[in-house]
Amino acid sequence: MRAIWKGAVSFGLVSIGVRVYSATEEKDIRFHQVHRDDGGRIRYKRTCQVCGEEVTYDDIAKGYDIGGGEMVILTDEDFADLPLTTSHAIDVLEFVPAEQVDPILYNKAYFLEPEGSATKPYVLLRDALTDSERVAIVKVALRQREQLATLRVREGVLLLNTMLWPDEVRTPDFGFLDEDLKVRPPELAMASSLIDSMAGDFEPDAFTDDYRAALQEVIDAKIEGREVVQPEEEEAAPAAAVDLMAALKASVERARAARGEAPAGGAGEPTPITSARSAQQAAKAAKTAKAPAKKAAAKKAPAKKAAAAKKAEPAKKAAAKKTAEKKAAPAKKAAKKAAPRKTA
């Protein structure tokens, strides 16, 4: 690998000299535009649309279109005054949990290699990051542009992941997000079953670029002067299903078959949909069974109430009589005291 940049990781008062290498490479098959008759390469001339003359690189500047046919021209001196364009430092700003960084922000990846005597501080930072289970948020100037990035550990090497700025990520504006769509529990259960039947561990090497392999086969055949064997066409994808539940159930069975598992719904094995239906039927039966008992209890309630009232009536009368006598006692006593005594 060839280093594309040299600089230093600024970590507190520690400076770690590093060389930066591209961590990824595109494997796309590239073509040149050529003349169909003789295979000659197609060349383009840089011409000015105003004067029509061919322009050399030395006479080319950068222009910003402000609309209305007007252009603002920037020179090398204008760019030279911008901050950090020539800075060769990776400034660590903070350390955050890795799960807080949304993967949509990641852009390009670069390996960092320690330079010269920087190996020990490099290893120190690497091990500290590993133990903390955090990533470093950094700023770096690459290719005349300041970029936000993360610094993390991958296979014993510090990996620099440049990121998009937050305002470079679009906000989805789709009509269905404002709709109040309801998903039925049986549908959700079946979809969850489909996910479970297709669950596994991610192994990148298990996936291949079939298109690139087929295209390379065509190119190799052209070079060797042999015929290209057409690959068998894969089974066409099913058309949009009208019955969502039927499509989900068929997908579950297909996934189980692909994994060599027995189909769901065998002897004694309920599927998510049958389980959901059984639960609904049981709830309905229980509700139906409670209704007659509730009705009978409602009929008996008045009779019970009347019997209880009749039974309590004597006690109620006795209590009333006792209360009346108690209230009348002081009056009787006063009358007796006020009455004149008889003399002999």
Side-chain angles (χ1 to χ4, degrees), residues 31-263:
F31 297 96
H32 297 294
Q33 289 185 326
V34 297
H35 187 195
R36 189 187 302 275
D37 292 341
D38 54 22
R41 292 278 299 275
I42 303 299
R43 302 294 185 185
Y44 293 93
K45 293 182 178 181
R46 294 173 297 277
T47 58
C48 174
Q49 68 176 16
V50 176
C51 63
E53 295 183 1
E54 186 174 352
V55 182
T56 64
Y57 276 114
D58 293 337
D59 293 327
I60 295 177
K62 291 182 173 65
Y64 181 81
D65 190 351
I66 60 176
E70 294 185 280
M71 195 77 65
V72 174
I73 298 177
L74 300 178
T75 64
D76 292 339
E77 289 75 16
D78 295 322
F79 288 100
D81 294 334
L82 296 177
L84 296 178
T85 54
T86 59
S87 173
H88 281 255
I90 301 173
D91 295 320
V92 177
L93 305 178
E94 59 182 354
F95 296 92
V96 302
E99 61 271 13
Q100 290 184 0
V101 182
D102 191 334
I104 196 175
L105 294 172
Y106 286 129
N107 192 7
K108 293 184 178 180
Y110 301 91
F111 290 131
L112 302 188
E113 179 191 23
E115 191 173 30
S117 60
T119 302
K120 186 172 182 179
Y122 178 99
V123 172
L124 174 64
L125 176 58
R126 180 198 66 186
D127 293 349
L129 277 175
T130 302
D131 292 343
S132 68
E133 297 182 349
R134 291 175 177 262
V135 298
I137 302 297
V138 304
K139 271 188 177 182
V140 59
L142 292 175
R143 296 185 174 91
Q144 294 186 336
R145 183 190 175 191
E146 184 181 61
Q147 299 186 62
L148 194 64
T150 62
L151 208 58
R152 61 188 179 91
V153 181
R154 184 181 187 274
E155 297 181 352
V157 176
L158 289 178
L159 183 72
L160 180 75
N161 267 114
T162 60
M163 297 194 297
L164 302 172
W165 294 99
D167 60 358
E168 293 179 312
V169 179
R170 294 177 175 177
T171 300
D173 184 16
F174 305 130
F176 80 93
L177 294 174
D178 297 325
E179 298 176 10
D180 187 17
L181 299 175
K182 301 294 184 183
V183 177
R184 295 187 296 126
E187 294 172 339
L188 185 59
M190 185 59 73
S192 298
S193 179
L194 175 58
I195 292 174
D196 291 339
S197 66
M198 298 177 67
D201 295 321
F202 180 57
E203 298 179 3
D205 293 337
F207 303 93
T208 57
D209 186 345
D210 295 333
Y211 175 81
R212 190 180 73 194
L215 180 57
Q216 188 63 55
E217 176 68 17
V218 171
I219 295 172
D220 293 342
K222 285 277 188 178
I223 295 173
E224 298 171 7
R226 57 183 172 83
E227 292 294 327
V228 179
V229 179
Q230 292 290 341
E232 294 183 6
E233 293 186 2
E234 294 186 2
E235 183 181 350
V242 177
D243 188 343
L244 179 59
M245 285 301 301
L248 286 171
K249 188 174 182 180
S251 299
V252 170
E253 299 302 337
R254 184 177 180 181
R256 287 177 179 269
R259 295 165 69 101
E261 299 177 4

Side-chain angles (χ1 to χ4, degrees), residues 266-286:
E269 183 182 355
T271 63
I273 183 63
T274 56
S275 298
R277 284 177 179 169
S278 298
Q280 289 178 345
Q281 290 172 357
K284 188 175 181 181

